[in-house]
Amino acid sequence: QEFAGHSGDVRCISIGRKSCKVLATGGDDRKANVWALGKPNAILSLSGHTSPVSCVCFDAQEETLVGGAESGTIKLWDLDQGKAIRTLLGHRSECLSADFHPYGAFFASGSLDTNLKVWDVRRKTCIQTYKGHLQGVSSVRFSPDGKWVVSAGQDNIVKIWDLTAGKLLHDYQHDGPVSCLDFHPSELLMVSGSADRSLKVIDLDALAPVASAAGEGGGVLSAAFSHDGRAVLSVTGDYLKVWLHEPSLTCVDTIEVGWGGLADMCVNAAGQLMACTAAHSFVQVWAMNLDELRPWAPPPSAAP
């Protein structure tokens, strides 16, 4: 599927993690648009920002959308009403990333101003600012249990923060800017990927690395655990790689995909990998069945 996402360049794309059937895009035209997969026209076009929309994220129920702008301003839109319900000020420069808390009316945002902020939607206010990154915060994710928030930076560092204590628990480093974070669906594991081409898997119980690997080609654009947690999927340049992560990171399959402008990907409950790429004002949506890839594909039957 390919469609024109915005009248200007597409700046960001986020797939709704609950259904994997909706996506949001932000553009240079200062709008955030919401799409149903398979439909060519936007369900909603949300305005209000006065500068390009640089990051978007759905809440866990896919009822609210947060959109951060180049100016640092953040807006929340109620998707039922199709209108802005909050405007939040606090970042001094471009919003690069956002993530909703899995349970509550909270979300986190990372900015080029080097700060990670946690916001209370009901109280319309920032309740915590975490400082420590030396460059922009390019990725933020809450842990599935909602106890921690993790930030990854253009300074090559990943920081794990305890939300209750409001302090840094652990940090570790890649050799290049960190591009992506993801959590294992059922175990206390996290994966991070970097422009230095490396993947690292971290044991969140021990707060220690358990596996790392360096790929060939370009930097890691995205990395995610599969729906069943058996493997890590990573995209570098034109290739999708599948890695088993125990006892070490071992590549078991590689497929050429050509997702150079990859903006987001997720694995749905049916075991399909959904990926979205952006090129200028266009968005492309790709789907791939994981059961065609190792380790899920049945082994080739032996010749008689």
Side-chain angles (χ1 to χ4, degrees):
Q1 184 189 359
E2 181 179 52
F3 52 89
H6 290 267
S7 60
D9 283 359
V10 176
R11 291 287 290 272
C12 53
I13 305 175
S14 179
I15 303 168
R17 292 297 192 265
K18 182 184 176 192
S19 67
C20 286
K21 288 179 180 170
V22 290
L23 57 110
T25 58
D28 273 347
D29 60 6
R30 308 191 295 278
K31 288 186 166 61
N33 293 335
V34 180
W35 313 80
L37 282 184
K39 303 278 171 59
N41 299 319
I43 310 169
L44 288 171
S45 187
L46 304 164
S47 54
H49 273 306
T50 56
S51 64
V53 177
S54 47
C55 68
V56 284
C57 177
F58 290 97
D59 72 337
Q61 264 52 58
E62 296 173 359
E63 292 167 355
T64 307
L65 185 76
V66 63
E70 205 173 67
S71 64
T73 302
I74 296 169
K75 282 190 178 289
L76 284 170
W77 290 279
D78 179 312
L79 298 179
D80 274 345
Q81 300 173 35
K83 68 177 190 185
I85 48 172
R86 301 276 187 275
T87 299
L88 301 166
L89 307 172
H91 283 301
R92 296 188 305 278
S93 54
E94 182 176 355
C95 241
L96 300 175
S97 51
D99 191 38
F100 265 95
H101 191 275
Y103 306 137
F106 303 94
F107 72 91
S109 60
S111 165
L112 202 56
D113 67 11
T114 74
N115 291 335
L116 165 70
K117 287 182 176 287
V118 178
W119 307 81
D120 183 319
V121 175
R122 293 195 189 96
R123 285 163 49 195
K124 310 182 196 179
T125 185
C126 173
I127 52 172
Q128 187 72 265
T129 299
Y130 296 101
K131 296 174 181 290
H133 282 287
L134 304 174
Q135 293 181 52
V137 179
S138 47
S139 188
V140 297
R141 288 292 299 272
F142 284 101
S143 59
D145 63 8
K147 291 178 181 171
W148 298 348
V149 64
V150 181
S151 56
Q154 296 171 344
D155 57 2
N156 313 349
I157 296 171
V158 177
K159 293 180 179 286
I160 301 170
W161 308 87
D162 183 317
L163 287 167
T164 314
K167 65 176 191 191
L168 183 69
L169 271 179
H170 180 68
D171 61 9
Y172 66 92
Q173 199 157 353
H174 283 267
D175 292 328
V178 185
S179 53
C180 51
L181 301 166
D182 194 37
F183 289 94
H184 191 283
S186 56
E187 296 172 35
L188 282 169
L189 295 172
M190 181 179 79
V191 65
S192 57
S194 164
D196 68 6
R197 306 189 301 219
S198 71
L199 289 171
K200 290 182 189 273
V201 177
I202 306 299
D203 178 334
L204 295 172
D205 213 14
L207 291 175
V210 287
S212 66
E216 309 87 44
V220 178
L221 298 172
S222 188
F225 283 99
S226 59
H227 57 305
D228 56 6
R230 284 175 70 186
V232 171
L233 305 159
S234 72
V235 176
T236 51
D238 290 330
Y239 293 94
L240 167 70
K241 291 178 182 282
V242 186
W243 307 79
L244 295 180
H245 53 84
E246 291 173 312
S248 61
L249 272 169
T250 310
C251 184
V252 291
D253 212 343
T254 301
I255 184 164
E256 194 167 350
V257 287
W259 296 344
L262 184 71
D264 196 19
M265 70 177 193
C266 75
V267 184
N268 66 20
Q272 265 191 330
L273 175 66
M274 312 299 295
C276 290
T277 59
H280 304 299
S281 64
F282 283 88
V283 174
Q284 291 175 314
V285 182
W286 312 78
M288 180 179 290
N289 290 322
L290 292 184
D291 57 17
E292 295 166 14
L293 303 173
R294 287 184 294 269
W296 302 278
S301 53

